[in-house]
Each structure stands twice: as structure tokens, then as C-alpha cells.
Amino acid sequence: MTVETRALAGHVTRIASDAGSAFSDDISLLACWVEQGLIFIVFRSNLMWDARRALGIVYDPANQARNIDVEELAFEIYEYDMVEPHLYTTAFSTEHDAIHWRVVGSSEMPARFERLLTRAATEESTEEHLRRLAAASIAGTTVLSGPSFTGSDAQPGRNSTEHGSFSPLPEAGLKTRFSYVASAVDASVDGTPVSLRPFPFSTGTDSVSVPLTVSGDGCHAGRANTGGTFVVGYRSGCSFEQKYDVARREGAAGLVITSDERLTDARWQSPRIDLTEIPVLVCDEPESIRLLVNGRALSVSFHGQVNSSPM
């Protein structure tokens, strides 16, 4: 799938700048621009330990292989890459206003990105860089937000954990951190072991020989008789939330989402704070997918729980 970079960056900017957003008190967008086919986003987060630190992410639309609406993708970038805390380990300056960067979907910083980010090593240098870009009108380069970094009122925050969600508590604006923990999954189709992983915040199960129903993309009700069965639906067509809601409303015993590509960072579009009503698992191992699609019954056992603690 080809993602129109300028349109995607524009949607991210609009969503992150919306004062009515559920996370507008937590995230302050400082700058967003497109350069050499990449999207650069700089912001502050009250959900991080040091809310005064400027954070930056680099998003390469060329790595986006899913067939997904550009606005839905922009929302995913905002909610999962900006709102949800991550590790920002790369900085190109020791100055007090250094920006700490990470690359979405990668644990390493490519050399090409390093050359670009040395121009945006600090808040001050980024401001100057964006002013030059805006004045130069370079083809393929667009400044959507910025270049001013002044006037930020970010307040000190706290850190969190991966696969976490946040919810206000009544006590004077305090928040609770919700983290999901799951055991290993023991699963088999017609007695043959298969590789499954719990989707974050999935309830556990001890299911034995539950019938399987293949439902295509699983996005629409009534396509198959799914009541009391484990629904197998392939990734794409709609959000994971929609697949889950359809399966749950149809009375399914559980849901397995399959993918031809590695699902390294599957998450809910709207962060959860409690367990799902039915078990939700993912499978991206080819032989296991074949068995799920062609098999008769699934046996699966694992346990999941949500831990909460004040932040």
C-alpha cells in the first residue's frame, strides 16, 4: 500500500492539535514536518517522567504495508506512538533542550535518519531548520506545525509501561496505570500444536475442542454462524476493535486474528483498562494459520490479568 505522506502528516497534525482530543491535556504538539519522504513529529508528553523533555518520532510511510485508511493510520500514530509511552534513547545533543528521538517500528536509528536529525538535535536548532525549510519551498518538503517551540506549559509527569493505558482518578487529577500480563499460550487444532499469542488485554480461557468458524475479515455480522465458536478472521478490512465487537455480539466463544505479516505491535485503537469479554488471540505463523483455517476445533489455554497502580 502506498501512503500519501503529506496527507498522513496533515491528519496527524490535525488530530494532535485538537483541543477536544481525549489526550489534549497529556500531549503538546511542537512540530510536524515532511522531509525526504519521512514524517518527523516533535512533542511533549505529561505521561512521561520528565514532561519538559521534547520527544521526537520518525515515521517512514514506505514501511506501511497494511491496507488502512490514512486517517485511521494517523490516529494510530497519535494514540500509540505519541500518547502511549515509549523509550526515547537517541539524542544528538547534550544541550538542555535536546530532543530525544526514536524510529517507529525499529529499535535502531538508520544512518540516513541520523544525518537528518543532527539538524533537529535541539528545540532551537529545529526551529531554525523548519524556518529554513518553509522559506526554501523544497519539493517534497512540507512544514505542517511549528516552527515555534515557545510557550509550552507542560507539567512534570510520570513514566509508564508498554501495553499500558491511563485513566483519571478522582483524587486531585491523579492517574492510574493499567498494565496487561499474560501467561504463555498452550493451543492446538485437532490435536496439532499451533502458535498463538494473546492480544493485549485479552481475557484468558481454558477451552477444549471448541469449533472453529472462518469468517473472512470478520468485519461484518451475519456472514457465518459464529455463535459458540472460535472465529478466525484475517487482518485488514477494519480495525481490531470492530472484529472484536462483531465476534462478541454474535456470541462467539473467542476470536483469532491471523496475519501474513509479523504482528510485532498489535494494539487496541482506543486503549483499554479492563479485560475483553471473550478471548482475543493473534496468529502470524503460516503453518498455524493453515491449520486454523482448515481445522475443525481449537483447544487453547492461557491466563491474562490487568494490574493497576497509581501514577
Side-chain angles (χ1 to χ4, degrees), residues 126-266:
T126 300
E127 185 172 344
E128 295 174 355
H129 178 56
L130 295 190
R131 285 200 178 105
R132 287 194 296 269
L133 287 180
S137 299
I138 301 172
T141 298
T142 307
V143 179
L144 295 106
S145 179
S148 175
F149 288 86
T150 60
S152 174
D153 57 356
Q155 299 298 318
R158 300 179 186 270
N159 61 358
S160 182
T161 59
E162 193 173 0
H163 293 311
S165 299
F166 305 88
S167 177
L169 285 177
E171 299 89 353
L174 293 178
K175 294 186 177 182
T176 296
R177 178 177 62 200
F178 297 89
S179 58
Y180 176 70
V181 180
S183 66
V185 177
D186 181 12
S188 63
V189 172
D190 301 333
T192 302
V194 291
S195 176
L196 301 179
R197 300 193 307 277
F199 198 83
F201 291 85
S202 170
T203 189
T205 186
D206 288 302
S207 300
V208 179
S209 296
V210 177
L212 288 164
T213 300
V214 179
S215 66
D217 59 17
C219 295
H220 304 283
R223 288 187 173 178
N225 183 16
T226 59
T229 71
F230 255 94
V231 174
V232 179
Y234 59 79
R235 180 181 180 177
S236 80
C238 63
S239 67
F240 285 9
E241 276 92 343
Q242 184 171 336
K243 298 177 193 295
Y244 165 71
D245 286 339
V246 169
R248 178 180 56 82
R249 290 197 305 267
E250 294 280 283
L255 171 65
V256 180
I257 300 172
T258 64
S259 175
D260 293 333
E261 300 175 353
R262 176 73 175 166
L263 282 169
T264 57
D265 200 20

Side-chain angles (χ1 to χ4, degrees), residues 11 25 31 39 45 61 68 74 76 93 99 112 115 209 228 255 286 293:
H11 282 301
D25 291 337
I39 299 175
S45 171
I68 184 172
E76 285 190 6
S93 171
I99 299 173
R112 178 169 75 98
R115 291 191 293 271
S209 296
L255 171 65
V293 170

Side-chain angles (χ1 to χ4, degrees), residues 3-13 39 59 61 70 73-74 77:
V3 176
E4 208 292 300
T5 305
R6 171 64 174 78
L8 177 59
H11 282 301
V12 171
T13 300
I39 299 175
Y59 184 87
V70 66
L73 178 57
I77 293 172

